[in-house]
Amino acid sequence: MKYILAFTLFLMKTNFVPNATVEKVDLRRYCGVWYSLYSLPTMFDRNTRETTGYYSLNAKGYLDVVTTYKKGDDEEIHSVKSKVFPVANTNNAKLEAQFLWPYRVDYWIIELPEDYSYVVVGHPEYKFLFIMSRKKTMPQKQLDDIIARCKAKGYPVDKLSSQKHD
């Protein structure tokens, strides 16, 4: 019992905010261009920059994604195709990304304003974080506020990497 009390006090003291998804995502409104502004790099996107995702809803009800990026100082544009599948009974807030069949990875939409001007994509185990926008830039105050909320949810924001859009 004393461990439960100590853990509860710890959570209250650290201003714990649950790592949860938004209520609902309209996949049609989600479609279009997303500029990745900052991310927690994964083994697939380390040393990339100017990453842009092009999302489209197909007739089967999932998203087809074409991601373009540049690596290091190279100006060559690389691309990769993937799919993003809605998870049943989550109002499209929990999705699964598939880069290589049959493997899928959790893709949680943890922040999305009413105007769909930006999105924060996270993971239930904090394995990745993407801050994306419909524009190549975002006001610094807005970005700082988003990062502060992600930190409160437990994401290691000190490891965020800029995508350096020109």
Side-chain angles (χ1 to χ4, degrees), residues 76-88:
E76 181 182 354
I77 297 174
H78 303 269
S79 69
V80 63
K81 292 181 180 180
S82 60
K83 300 173 183 176
V84 176
F85 298 91
V87 174

Side-chain angles (χ1 to χ4, degrees), residues 120-152:
V120 181
V121 177
H123 186 272
E125 297 171 10
Y126 308 93
K127 290 182 179 179
F128 60 76
L129 181 71
F130 296 94
I131 300 171
M132 301 187 297
S133 175
R134 296 294 189 180
K135 298 179 180 178
K136 292 181 180 182
T137 62
M138 176 183 286
Q140 190 62 48
K141 168 90 169 89
Q142 183 180 27
L143 181 61
D144 291 344
D145 290 347
I146 292 168
I147 291 171
R149 289 190 295 271
C150 291
K151 182 177 182 176

Side-chain angles (χ1 to χ4, degrees), residues 35-41 129-132 140 143 147 157 160-165:
Y35 297 96
S36 181
L37 302 181
Y38 282 86
S39 66
L40 292 177
L129 181 71
F130 296 94
I131 300 171
M132 301 187 297
Q140 190 62 48
L143 181 61
I147 291 171
V157 298
L160 281 173
S161 176
S162 171
Q163 282 291 305
K164 301 176 183 124
H165 285 277

Side-chain angles (χ1 to χ4, degrees), residues 5 26 36 39 57 59-60 74 79 94 98 107 149 156 160:
L5 180 60
D26 179 340
S36 181
S39 66
L57 185 62
K60 295 180 181 177
D74 185 4
S79 69
K94 290 182 182 179
Q98 183 180 69
Y107 178 113
R149 289 190 295 271
L160 281 173

Side-chain angles (χ1 to χ4, degrees), residues 7-142:
F7 183 69
T8 303
L9 290 173
F10 170 77
L11 291 179
M12 290 171 55
K13 190 175 186 179
T14 58
N15 297 323
F16 178 75
V17 176
N19 183 28
T21 64
V22 297
E23 294 274 325
K24 182 180 181 179
V25 176
D26 179 340
L27 292 181
R28 291 193 190 284
R29 289 186 65 200
Y30 194 77
C31 287
V33 177
W34 288 105
Y35 297 96
S36 181
L37 302 181
Y38 282 86
S39 66
L40 292 177
T42 67
M43 65 184 211
F44 300 108
D45 57 10
R46 281 191 181 93
N47 200 28
T48 61
R49 61 185 169 86
E50 299 180 49
T51 301
T52 304
Y54 302 87
Y55 290 71
S56 59
L57 185 62
N58 66 33
K60 295 180 181 177
Y62 62 84
L63 298 168
D64 289 314
V65 184
V66 176
T67 304
T68 61
Y69 59 93
K70 295 178 182 176
K71 288 188 84 77
D73 295 330
D74 185 4
E75 289 301 314
E76 181 182 354
I77 297 174
H78 303 269
S79 69
V80 63
K81 292 181 180 180
S82 60
K83 300 173 183 176
V84 176
F85 298 91
V87 174
N89 303 314
T90 67
N91 291 320
N92 301 325
K94 290 182 182 179
L95 302 124
E96 293 176 332
Q98 183 180 69
F99 293 92
L100 179 64
W101 184 85
Y103 305 103
R104 294 184 183 184
V105 62
D106 291 315
Y107 178 113
W108 281 15
I109 299 182
I110 62 172
E111 195 168 317
L112 181 67
E114 183 66 33
D115 66 359
Y116 284 60
S117 60
Y118 74 89
V119 65
V120 181
V121 177
H123 186 272
E125 297 171 10
Y126 308 93
K127 290 182 179 179
F128 60 76
L129 181 71
F130 296 94
I131 300 171
M132 301 187 297
S133 175
R134 296 294 189 180
K135 298 179 180 178
K136 292 181 180 182
T137 62
M138 176 183 286
Q140 190 62 48
K141 168 90 169 89
Q142 183 180 27

